[in-house]
Amino acid sequence: MFLFDLNWQIQHFLNQFFWPINFLLVAILVILAYLSYKKPIYAVGLTIVLLPTYLFRSKIWFPTPSGAEGLPFTFLEVCIWVTFLGWLINSSSYKLKALNSKLKNYRWPILLILLSATISVFISPDKAAAAGLWKAYFVEPILFFVVLVNIIKTQKDKDVILWSLGISTLAISL
């Protein structure tokens, strides 16, 4: 279940509605999974609208030798993974070959950034925190970029993305 990383007054208020909010978040994930398989442009738009949900945090518990409590993640990260996996399942090998040609100009910059970020994880004194930042700031944005580059084809698709950014900005400004 997701916790809220907000100031204590807002967090105290939202904790009163913990289960309904978490039920709503799971419902949003189900809708996002359906959209990412059927209409990926709307799944990307919904993911963009949900950008402020990086404040909803949770952990996947697993035992580790160091005694770590679990792998932290945010609701936004789950949305990005659901969008990417739905798009990947829906994509045929033909679409993936076309993607390779679309990413041709971006391949080396992406690889260099990912390589330097990966090296920095291994030389970091706090490897767990570095791996979390690596996942959240490098891997997931690249996955989202891959989906975005592949699905934007028409002016209507660009309009969906711009409207999504506008709605997300409106939610933040309110």
Side-chain angles (χ1 to χ4, degrees), residues 5-156:
D5 191 14
L6 304 164
N7 67 32
W8 70 271
Q9 294 98 346
I10 297 173
Q11 186 168 344
H12 179 67
F13 175 74
L14 289 177
N15 282 339
Q16 297 173 12
F17 307 103
F18 180 77
W19 290 108
I21 290 173
N22 278 288
F23 179 76
L24 177 66
L25 294 176
V26 170
I28 289 171
L29 284 178
V30 170
I31 292 168
L32 187 66
Y34 175 77
L35 286 176
S36 66
Y37 185 74
K38 291 292 187 182
K39 297 274 188 184
I41 188 66
Y42 295 123
V44 168
L46 182 58
T47 303
I48 291 171
V49 168
L50 294 171
L51 285 175
T53 62
Y54 73 92
L55 295 170
F56 298 160
R57 302 183 182 281
S58 189
K59 288 184 181 180
I60 298 175
W61 184 85
F62 60 93
T64 61
S66 64
E69 293 180 19
L71 176 68
F73 63 93
T74 66
F75 185 73
L76 178 61
E77 291 173 349
V78 175
C79 290
I80 290 171
W81 279 102
V82 166
T83 302
F84 177 76
L85 291 175
W87 166 80
L88 188 64
I89 290 168
N90 191 26
S91 294
S92 63
S93 61
Y94 172 74
K95 287 182 183 177
L96 293 177
K97 287 178 185 175
L99 171 69
N100 193 19
S101 66
K102 287 181 183 178
L103 289 176
K104 185 177 179 182
N105 296 333
Y106 303 109
R107 183 178 306 139
W108 287 109
I110 288 173
L111 287 175
L112 288 174
I113 289 171
L114 201 56
L115 178 67
S116 62
T118 305
I119 290 170
S120 69
V121 169
F122 289 111
I123 63 173
S124 171
D126 187 4
K127 292 190 181 5
L133 291 175
W134 175 79
K135 171 184 62 104
Y137 293 161
F138 295 100
V139 174
E140 289 159 357
I142 289 171
L143 293 178
F144 193 70
F145 176 74
V146 166
V147 174
L148 196 63
V149 165
N150 190 44
I151 63 168
I152 293 181
K153 296 180 178 113
T154 65
Q155 184 61 38
K156 183 182 177 207

